Amino acid sequence: LFIAPFTIEAEHSLTEDRNATTKPYIKGFVGAAYMDYSVVRGGIRSEEKLIRSTYGAEFGVVVSDRLRLSARYNAFPKSSGFDFSGVTLSATFQVLK
């Protein structure tokens, strides 16, 4: 399974305090995704390479301008009965600034 989404995003900070060390945010996005998969289910192989729409939302928090924690939901239309939509949890730490 390989999915590469290309999206346009809009992010909104949920705090107006510019000096806050913890800054929650919400982000919405929409775009297209290249999907390449091969799945065997019940002895039957399904294989496709295609482009589908995608959309979703992300909620996260930036801590101390170096650590970003987020939960992102990505929705994709079903393809051959498979639903690749789901949630991604991530933590990103910036070493150099």
Side-chain angles (χ1 to χ4, degrees):
L1 169 65
F2 176 77
I3 300 177
F6 299 93
T7 60
I8 296 173
E9 303 178 342
E11 184 174 325
H12 178 70
S13 177
L14 298 176
T15 182
E16 293 184 20
D17 182 0
R18 293 178 187 240
N19 297 319
T21 58
T22 302
K23 300 173 188 167
Y25 68 91
I26 190 163
K27 181 187 299 189
F29 57 91
V30 64
Y34 172 75
M35 303 170 77
D36 181 349
Y37 67 90
S38 177
V39 179
V40 177
R41 180 172 58 179
I44 300 171
R45 182 184 184 104
S46 296
E47 184 175 353
E48 283 198 70
K49 294 178 182 173
L50 44 90
I51 296 176
R52 290 279 192 256
S53 62
T54 184
Y55 63 90
E58 178 178 320
F59 174 75
V61 62
V62 178
V63 182
S64 305
D65 290 331
R66 291 196 180 267
L67 176 64
R68 181 179 287 240
L69 307 171
S70 66
R72 180 180 185 108
Y73 179 76
N74 229 124
F76 302 99
K78 287 185 179 181
S79 179
S80 300
F82 297 105
D83 187 353
F84 298 113
S85 300
V87 175
T88 303
L89 302 175
S90 66
T92 306
F93 184 75
Q94 184 176 352
V95 177
L96 301 176
K97 187 162 185 166

